[in-house]
Amino acid sequence: LDESYSSFPPANSYQEEGSSTSIPVNAQTGTLTPPPQSILIPETYQEQDISSNSYVYPPTQSKSDVDNISSAFSTTHVTENEVTEESASREEVIYPSLTLSKTEYLYGERVVVNFNTGDRDEDVKNWVIGIYMRDANPQGGVLPPIVSMKLCGLLTCDTSVHSGTVEFSDLHRAAMTGQWPVDIDNFGTGYDIFMLNEYGEEVSEAYEFNVVIDEAV
């Protein structure tokens, strides 16, 4: 045979004209089966095998560019300590409140009420502590209390008192408005006590107490 035929590619391969690379041909299907190739990218990148899962950076994008984008969209994690510190930095809201030292009193026994107007930075000279029959709430100022006393403990207050005590007793009848002791024949033995503003509207939650009848009295 002519020696020129020796340069022909084998029958089971294909060689493009002008190329020195032979591509294998699948003998069963007749399709070309190119071998794994390597992609050459600029010097700032590495040569990567396209048959692997390695990321090949486009010629216009470097690894540092991708890292910068990833960091820009990274999730910010807030620790539990940071949340606790932020919550603690917020000023706690204090609402008007009142308490009693006990929940049962003998008929005619003095009732001492502790109160605090909370964060209400306003004129409270005409606020009062009022006693109601059980479940008979002020109804937005429509229903007056059975007996009440201003926060300063007097009939007329010259200054606002935002915390302290008032005492319902025989010794302080002159400072009260209404009936003391309460008439248990008309109002029963269960009572609710409220803090009321100058319009008779409740500004605190009710505090319950009961009057106990002492048969010996």
Side-chain angles (χ1 to χ4, degrees):
L1 296 177
D2 193 321
E3 292 182 359
S4 61
Y5 288 98
S6 62
S7 61
F8 285 4
N12 60 347
S13 65
Y14 170 76
Q15 180 174 336
E16 291 184 357
E17 183 178 354
S19 173
S20 61
T21 302
S22 297
I23 302 176
V25 177
N26 189 307
Q28 295 180 350
T29 63
T31 59
L32 301 180
T33 308
Q37 300 177 12
S38 295
I39 296 178
L40 294 178
I41 52 182
E43 295 180 356
T44 54
Y45 317 120
Q46 298 179 354
E47 184 175 333
Q48 308 253 351
D49 193 329
I50 63 172
S51 62
S52 69
N53 292 327
S54 300
Y55 178 75
V56 179
Y57 300 100
T60 57
Q61 186 180 68
S62 67
K63 183 178 185 303
S64 60
D65 293 335
V66 175
D67 291 341
N68 291 336
I69 294 174
S70 299
S71 61
F73 289 93
S74 60
T75 303
T76 301
H77 298 281
V78 180
T79 65
E80 183 177 353
N81 290 336
E82 290 174 335
V83 173
T84 303
E85 291 175 0
E86 181 180 356
S87 300
S89 65
R90 298 176 183 175
E91 184 177 356
E92 182 180 359
V93 177
I94 302 176
Y95 297 97
S97 61
L98 51 83
T99 59
L100 303 178
S101 59
K102 54 184 181 179
T103 57
E104 288 190 349
Y105 297 86
L106 294 175
Y107 178 75
E109 182 182 359
R110 71 188 188 119
V111 176
V112 179
V113 183
N114 301 288
F115 69 88
N116 191 315
T117 61
D119 292 337
R120 304 290 288 271
D121 186 17
E122 55 188 280
D123 185 359
V124 298
K125 290 194 299 289
N126 293 317
W127 285 24
V128 302
I129 303 298
I131 298 177
Y132 287 81
M133 184 173 65
R134 178 66 48 78
D135 297 329
N137 63 66
Q139 302 176 28
V142 175
L143 184 65
I146 299 170
V147 60
S148 65
M149 181 183 295
K150 291 188 177 180
L151 302 185
C152 68
L154 302 171
L155 281 176
T156 303
C157 298
D158 296 328
T159 59
S160 293
V161 179
H162 292 278
S163 64
T165 61
V166 296
E167 179 180 319
F168 293 88
S169 67
D170 291 339
L171 295 176
H172 295 84
R173 282 185 180 178
M176 299 182 201
T177 299
Q179 180 184 2
W180 181 264
V182 292
D183 187 351
I184 59 176
D185 292 332
N186 289 329
F187 302 113
T189 57
Y191 296 89
D192 293 337
I193 189 164
F194 291 89
M195 188 186 306
L196 311 172
N197 62 18
E198 63 270 29
Y199 306 108
E201 302 167 334
E202 61 269 35
V203 294
S204 73
E205 295 183 354
Y207 198 102
E208 297 181 354
F209 73 95
N210 298 305
V211 174
V212 179
I213 304 298
D214 188 348
E215 299 293 342
V217 176

